[in-house]
Amino acid sequence: MSRYVLAFDAGTTSERAILFDHEGKIVSLAQKEIRQYYPQPGWVEHDPMELWSTQLGVAVEAMSKAGVSAEDIASIGITNQRETTIVWDKESGLPVYNAIVWQCRRTTALCEELAPQKEKIREKTGLVLDPYFSATKLKWILENVEGAKERAEKGELLFGTVESWLIWKLTKGRVHVTDYSNASRTMLYNIRELKWDEEICEMLGIPPVMLPQVVSNSEVYGETDPAYLGGAIKIAGAAGDQQAALFGQKCFKAGEIKNTYGTGCFLLMNTGEQAIASKSGLVSTIAWGLDGRVTYALEGSVFMGGALIQWLRDELGLLGSAAESEELAQKVPDTEGCYIVPAFTGLGAPYWKPEAKGMIMGLTRGVGRYHIIRAALDAIAYQVNDIVEAMARDAGSDLTVLKVDGGASSNAYLCRAQADYSHVQVQRPECVETTALGAAFLAGLATGFWKDLSEIEKCGGGGVHFDPSMDSALRDARIKGWKEAVAMLG
Ligand code: ADP
């Protein structure tokens, strides 16, 4: 009986491999940063060969650190930075261009041209027309790499997001698949009919022959070529990072919601078998497909989350470390009416003010360093609360629990502020590697390492929770102040 599941976490800044045991505990972890390329302002790229070799390297390292061989591993699950677009040559296995990363804005003009189609695109894909998603990045590669379009039409080139690329590489080109969650972020996939959308593909000039087969999030896709990890290991689960975190947080039921406090914040709510069309500017997406059933999610993101704390540390010099913000914010009882609206790169859902700039308001002579730090943590919580409120509106029910993870969730002041402003219980699990854990769960389910969801529910345990304790009049007044501050952006 194999003792472990191996998760690959192919993130934006680094790639990791984590071995989990049957209790969902980390047995070993290896991590390596990946190089970022910025060929022009607003452009972001990765080298796909580096993504592949780094991922393989950390996997070998994690296994050797724990003295684990291929036979000890039940299966591999992959989670990845979503939307990042790779096109490669089917014969040589070489990419025709660098991976265009989700953050890359090079297709802004292309999206403006497509604007008349935005309602149709939204209906079919659940997404807001934006350069963020894969479709226009893929179109850009086909139109800007010499001969790519013709070669793609002849079936010589393949497209995939990062998990698709890694699976193809690991199986030495035998398996070209993507999972539902990643497919739903391409802006080419019809999330209601569950198929690549011919009309959108045609609109963008994308030959369907280059698209991967869409598979469930938990099934055996293939085996690793024995040359790589000292034996053939089943690759049996995949999901985009945010969906994997939703799964890793065990948000299995409709209405359950998680927030990841990283650089930005990503909230996802399980909406069950219903793809809810948001009235508040959230996107609808596929959470996962499992046992023949597809589960949908609503998603909203905050652009400046933990990055605001980074800014206080690196640009204003108010903090020695991000962690210090927790103690310093509590040196004062409140912000003295000071609010920070961190619209450094515009404001996302539910405001959608792409041109807005950030603002600090309510300054009086009494406001000092600690108030600003406190206002920054509050700003993260207010922004998350705006999305929690939007989700509750769309779902038609109040939320009672918010599960949290990500770097800034280690800040207890922030967790308490969130509980107060959103009037929910904030639950933080002991293992905050929920993204990798989600991928591990998916892969373990497919191979019988975990029998079913109820067995997974028993994994982990521990963790802490934060209950709301703020007086409701005070809460209402603070939130009103925040909304007034946002309204001042115009
Ligand atoms: P990502 O995965 O997006 O790189 P992480 O989940 O590693 O991000 O979280 C890092 C972010 O969280 C940074 O922006 C950092 O400023 C912030 N952060 C980390 N620790 C704390 C803390 N204790 N309090 C507040 N913010 C924090």
Side-chain angles (χ1 to χ4, degrees), residues 306-329:
L308 181 58
I309 304 305
Q310 231 164 5
W311 182 72
L312 294 190
R313 186 194 64 194
D314 301 341
E315 305 305 324
L316 299 193
L318 296 186
L319 291 166
S321 69
E324 202 186 18
S325 63
E326 179 176 340
E327 186 199 332
L328 300 185

Side-chain angles (χ1 to χ4, degrees), residues 13 261-264 306-307 309-310 313 322-323 325-326 377 406-408 410-411 414:
T13 51
Y261 296 91
T263 306
I309 304 305
Q310 231 164 5
R313 186 194 64 194
S325 63
E326 179 176 340
L377 290 169
S410 62
N411 189 313
L414 176 61

Side-chain angles (χ1 to χ4, degrees), residues 42-185:
W43 291 29
V44 191
E45 297 178 359
H46 289 155
D47 172 359
M49 292 309 268
E50 184 189 349
L51 296 184
W52 156 236
S53 62
T54 303
Q55 192 59 69
L56 189 61
V58 290
V60 171
E61 196 183 325
M63 287 169 67
S64 78
K65 264 188 191 170
V68 160
S69 60
E71 306 84 74
D72 294 325
I73 298 175
S75 47
I76 291 175
I78 304 180
T79 180
N80 57 293
Q81 49 163 321
R82 306 175 300 173
E83 299 100 11
T84 297
T85 300
I86 306 175
V87 176
W88 66 94
D89 182 314
K90 199 170 162 178
E91 281 306 312
S92 69
L94 294 173
V96 302
Y97 189 78
N98 267 349
I100 303 187
V101 176
W102 58 274
Q103 296 153 321
C104 186
R105 305 300 294 175
R106 80 182 64 193
T107 56
T108 303
L110 205 55
C111 286
E112 279 160 14
E113 278 170 36
L114 289 169
Q117 308 294 336
K118 74 174 186 230
E119 277 316 311
K120 180 181 278 178
I121 290 174
R122 191 177 172 108
E123 229 164 79
K124 289 169 174 245
T125 67
L127 306 174
V128 177
L129 171 63
D130 194 89
Y132 176 28
F133 304 107
S134 317
T136 56
K137 300 181 196 293
L138 173 52
K139 181 178 168 67
W140 189 95
I141 293 178
L142 294 179
E143 287 177 356
N144 289 276
V145 173
E146 212 188 314
K149 183 96 195 259
E150 296 70 37
R151 298 192 57 212
E153 271 159 5
K154 281 195 254 159
E156 292 173 15
L157 302 184
L158 301 177
F159 154 77
T161 37
V162 174
E163 87 302 342
S164 180
W165 164 245
L166 292 176
I167 294 169
W168 194 84
K169 279 296 195 190
L170 285 164
T171 58
K172 275 214 170 145
R174 282 187 286 272
V175 180
H176 184 220
V177 295
T178 186
D179 67 88
Y180 283 117
S181 71
N182 275 296
S184 76
R185 311 299 295 182

Side-chain angles (χ1 to χ4, degrees), residues 82-83 117-130 132-133 183-195 197 200 243 274-286 296-300 352 394:
R82 306 175 300 173
E83 299 100 11
Q117 308 294 336
K118 74 174 186 230
E119 277 316 311
K120 180 181 278 178
I121 290 174
R122 191 177 172 108
E123 229 164 79
K124 289 169 174 245
T125 67
L127 306 174
V128 177
L129 171 63
D130 194 89
Y132 176 28
F133 304 107
S184 76
R185 311 299 295 182
T186 58
M187 217 175 78
L188 295 171
Y189 194 68
N190 191 314
I191 62 165
R192 294 165 207 281
E193 294 173 15
L194 300 179
K195 61 180 181 65
D197 195 276
I200 298 179
Q243 285 94 333
Q274 230 191 327
I276 295 179
S278 174
K279 293 187 263 326
S280 315
L282 306 173
V283 304
S284 315
T285 202
I286 299 181
Y296 292 91
L298 271 175
E299 175 170 332
W352 295 112
D394 282 340

Side-chain angles (χ1 to χ4, degrees), residues 101 185 220 255 258 434:
V101 176
R185 311 299 295 182
V220 178
K258 72 91 195 171
T434 51

